Amino acid sequence: MKNDHQLIVRNLSIAFQGQRERRVVEDLSFELKKGETLGIAGESGSGKSLTALAVMGLLPEAALVSGGEILFKSGGEMVGISRAGAGAVRRLRGREMAMIFQEPATALNPVMRCGDQVAEAMLLHGAATRADVKQQVMDWFGKVRLPDPERIYKSYPHQLSGGQRQRVMIAMALCCNPSLLIADEPTSALDATVQRAFLDLMKELKQAWQGTVIFISHDLGVVAEVADRVLVLHDGKLAEAGETAEVLRNPRHPYTQQLISSYREKLQSKKASSHTPGQAVPSGSAVEKDGQPLLRVEKLSTWFPLRRRFPWQSKTYLKAVDEVSFELRRGEILGIAGESGSGKTTLVRSLLHLQQPTAGEVYFEGARMPSDPVDRQWKAARKRLQIVFQDPYAALNPRLQVGLAVAEPMKVHQLFGTEQERREQAVRLLEATGLDGEAFWRFPAEFSGGQRQRICIARALATQPDCIICDECVSALDASTQLQILELLLALRRDRGLSFIFISHDLATVRQVSDRIAIMKDGSIIETGEAEELWQHPQMPYTKELLQAQIAPLY
């Protein structure tokens, strides 16, 4: 056996147990040399994350390694992960192998401050002493470009944005300098500028510690930036493998060709279309420009008090949202873009009163909404104002089958006459978002991150709303599935006259679907304009910076 290999995977098969065994990864083999970066690409549900979890010995209880072996080099010897005891594998995790998980909200301890979680990892594995651990944690927070490291250190996960939580996870994984780092969609929740900084950081760290990396991503542009070799997975099987440049320049497998075509289409097309991908939607064809807006927000503010170091100090606030105003017309898609922590998610949670705003007014169909979030008027409005949350795993009940989760809003709002009708409608909605009817009785843990997001979209459609707020609803999806979901949103806009607020850090995706785009920075909207005009002629330096940081097209 070659001494320069850090990881060897042979004929790996992973299956979910149930009434019948269902294979999700089948006869997968690859080798990884020390200091090499291997990219794993493929659509949502192709087996990327399950392969990574098997290497870490962290497969969920419902899944098992049904065949093959995983060998990891530790202390000069190859250790069989699937044959080693739980204690032996636990000693390797964090110190010699680490993972950046796809869903940081569920990976972080909700009752422990973020700084303490990173410090705990460093102390446990001897990467720092108690005297210097806080300073080292602060240094790592600076490396991953977290704003105000002192505040982040003392914050709980729920007090941070999705992108900020992802950066805390990145710092935690890298802080002990592991031999093998598995990065599972580490940039999916990051805006373009921070994504660029993270990729540069990965390159710097590789030069410094010669670590071995498995980089999982649905974004082929990111894979092209960091990977020496790439594996393309499709339906749990290896579709194609080789040097990154060769595979992306001259793909042989039809599935790889489809992925690359979808990615290039995303970058080059002006709009997604409900008919032909890449064909522009007729401008303003579905937007009601006359009459009162469907939704109007006036000077909405949400401030969070910061802890005072001394009792006599005056109160200070984090202005997560600061006097934001905008309108949304019937049939309009308003895109909201900005970096992680700019206030995008807090804005939409505040306008729905899921987060109590500090000040400001929200008007729905001309009626002023009450400040009390449990008022009867809000219950009626929420049937027509739905949201797809950023973290799909945290948004789904882990003990409830996904079909019942989709049918539940229909029952709450007394839609359809019988339980059977509601279940039939739930199946139709799951199929409309790209899942099969058999998914109805499966639990959230049996799905990939991208598939869970599609379930959340199906659930948002269940109440037949007038407006859907999509908070990073396609960030976890590959380019081809992104196009499918965007096509679905545009078809719903065309057929039902739905309005959307589409939040994303990815300006290329926002451009594809939006009629207008608003750019947020530090809790305020700093620029608004027609989508194509803003893309071609940005006015603010920050908007120009966001556009310049977009990942470049493939080779």
Side-chain angles (χ1 to χ4, degrees), residues 37-40 48-49 52 56 98-102 166 170 173-174 180-187 198 202 212-217 226:
T37 298
L38 175 70
I40 302 181
K48 307 185 300 293
S49 295
M56 293 290 293
M99 184 168 178
I100 302 169
F101 293 95
Q102 185 175 2
Q166 186 66 289
I170 291 167
L174 294 174
L180 173 66
L181 173 67
I182 300 176
D184 186 5
E185 300 282 7
T187 61
F198 172 71
M202 291 287 291
T212 307
V213 180
I214 296 177
F215 199 99
I216 297 171
S217 181
V226 300

Side-chain angles (χ1 to χ4, degrees), residues 224 227-230 242-251 555:
D228 303 309
R229 289 188 302 116
V230 63
E243 299 294 320
T244 303
E246 180 60 27
V247 169
L248 297 182
R249 282 197 185 108
N250 303 300
Y555 303 97

Side-chain angles (χ1 to χ4, degrees), residues 341-461:
S342 60
K344 306 184 299 293
T345 297
T346 305
L347 169 62
V348 295
R349 288 181 63 86
S350 298
L351 75 87
L352 290 174
H353 280 56
L354 299 176
Q355 167 69 55
Q356 190 67 23
T358 306
E361 306 291 347
V362 177
Y363 294 85
F364 182 59
E365 291 190 322
R368 178 180 173 274
M369 299 304 293
S371 58
D372 184 0
V374 297
D375 187 278
R376 191 175 299 176
Q377 190 177 344
W378 267 116
K379 183 179 179 181
R382 287 201 182 104
K383 174 175 176 271
R384 303 170 61 193
L385 288 170
Q386 287 290 303
I387 183 170
V388 180
F389 292 100
Q390 184 173 4
D391 188 331
Y393 192 72
L396 292 169
N397 184 339
R399 298 179 181 229
L400 187 66
Q401 290 98 329
V402 299
L404 297 179
V406 174
E408 189 176 37
M410 305 180 213
K411 186 175 182 179
V412 169
H413 293 286
Q414 300 177 348
L415 299 176
F416 300 96
T418 66
E419 189 67 24
Q420 182 61 32
E421 288 178 325
R422 287 192 281 267
R423 291 184 180 184
E424 289 172 358
Q425 175 67 0
V427 169
R428 286 193 288 270
L429 290 171
L430 288 170
E431 290 174 344
T433 53
L435 297 167
D436 57 59
E438 292 182 358
F440 189 101
W441 294 109
R442 287 156 56 189
F443 291 93
E446 298 179 57
F447 295 90
S448 70
Q451 288 172 322
R452 286 194 284 262
Q453 192 62 283
R454 280 182 266 178
I455 293 163
C456 290
I457 293 170
R459 186 176 62 178
L461 294 170

Side-chain angles (χ1 to χ4, degrees), residues 101-411:
F101 293 95
Q102 185 175 2
E103 291 163 335
T106 50
L108 292 169
N109 187 335
V111 296
M112 192 174 181
R113 298 183 193 278
C114 292
D116 291 338
Q117 295 190 52
V118 180
E120 181 184 53
M122 298 185 79
L123 291 171
L124 182 64
H125 298 294
T129 63
R130 292 197 175 275
D132 65 359
V133 67
K134 182 175 181 179
Q135 185 57 51
Q136 290 203 38
V137 172
M138 299 282 278
D139 290 344
W140 274 106
F141 283 174
K143 287 179 182 179
V144 296
R145 299 287 183 93
L146 275 166
D148 193 359
E150 184 70 39
R151 178 180 67 82
I152 300 293
Y153 191 100
K154 297 176 181 177
S155 298
Y156 291 97
H158 73 273
Q159 295 175 306
L160 307 182
S161 71
Q164 289 171 338
R165 287 193 291 262
Q166 186 66 289
R167 282 178 271 175
V168 171
M169 277 295 306
I170 291 167
M172 189 184 302
L174 294 174
C175 67
C176 295
N177 293 322
S179 304
L180 173 66
L181 173 67
I182 300 176
D184 186 5
E185 300 282 7
T187 61
S188 63
L190 305 181
D191 59 272
T193 51
V194 178
Q195 186 181 73
R196 170 62 59 195
F198 172 71
L199 296 179
D200 291 342
L201 173 64
M202 291 287 291
K203 293 173 185 176
E204 291 174 16
L205 290 168
K206 276 205 69 181
Q207 292 175 357
W209 56 278
Q210 291 298 303
T212 307
V213 180
I214 296 177
F215 199 99
I216 297 171
S217 181
H218 63 265
D219 190 328
L220 290 176
V222 173
V223 172
E225 288 262 332
V226 300
D228 303 309
R229 289 188 302 116
V230 63
L231 306 179
V232 180
L233 299 186
H234 180 50
D235 290 335
K237 298 177 182 177
L238 182 62
E240 192 162 355
E243 299 294 320
T244 303
E246 180 60 27
V247 169
L248 297 182
R249 282 197 185 108
N250 303 300
R252 297 181 180 180
H253 196 280
Y255 175 68
T256 312
Q257 294 169 2
Q258 176 193 335
L259 278 182
I260 293 173
S261 174
S262 297
Y263 180 81
R264 286 178 173 151
E265 185 176 296
K266 169 186 168 181
L267 292 182
Q268 295 169 3
S269 65
K270 292 184 180 180
K271 290 277 185 185
S273 163
S274 55
H275 300 287
T276 304
Q279 179 183 350
V281 173
S283 177
S285 61
V287 181
E288 290 184 7
K289 295 190 175 180
D290 299 325
Q292 67 181 12
L294 176 69
L295 187 68
R296 180 159 56 94
V297 175
E298 289 189 356
K299 295 187 175 181
L300 193 68
S301 296
T302 303
W303 296 3
F304 297 107
L306 298 176
R307 287 186 67 186
R308 290 180 289 181
R309 191 169 183 181
F310 302 105
W312 57 83
Q313 289 180 319
S314 59
K315 270 192 175 182
T316 56
Y317 295 88
L318 170 66
K319 298 181 180 180
V321 176
D322 193 24
E323 294 195 350
V324 169
S325 300
F326 66 87
E327 292 183 350
L328 181 71
R329 298 275 171 184
R330 284 190 179 277
E332 184 180 28
I333 301 180
L334 172 66
I336 300 180
E339 65 185 350
S340 169
S342 60
K344 306 184 299 293
T345 297
T346 305
L347 169 62
V348 295
R349 288 181 63 86
S350 298
L351 75 87
L352 290 174
H353 280 56
L354 299 176
Q355 167 69 55
Q356 190 67 23
T358 306
E361 306 291 347
V362 177
Y363 294 85
F364 182 59
E365 291 190 322
R368 178 180 173 274
M369 299 304 293
S371 58
D372 184 0
V374 297
D375 187 278
R376 191 175 299 176
Q377 190 177 344
W378 267 116
K379 183 179 179 181
R382 287 201 182 104
K383 174 175 176 271
R384 303 170 61 193
L385 288 170
Q386 287 290 303
I387 183 170
V388 180
F389 292 100
Q390 184 173 4
D391 188 331
Y393 192 72
L396 292 169
N397 184 339
R399 298 179 181 229
L400 187 66
Q401 290 98 329
V402 299
L404 297 179
V406 174
E408 189 176 37
M410 305 180 213
K411 186 175 182 179

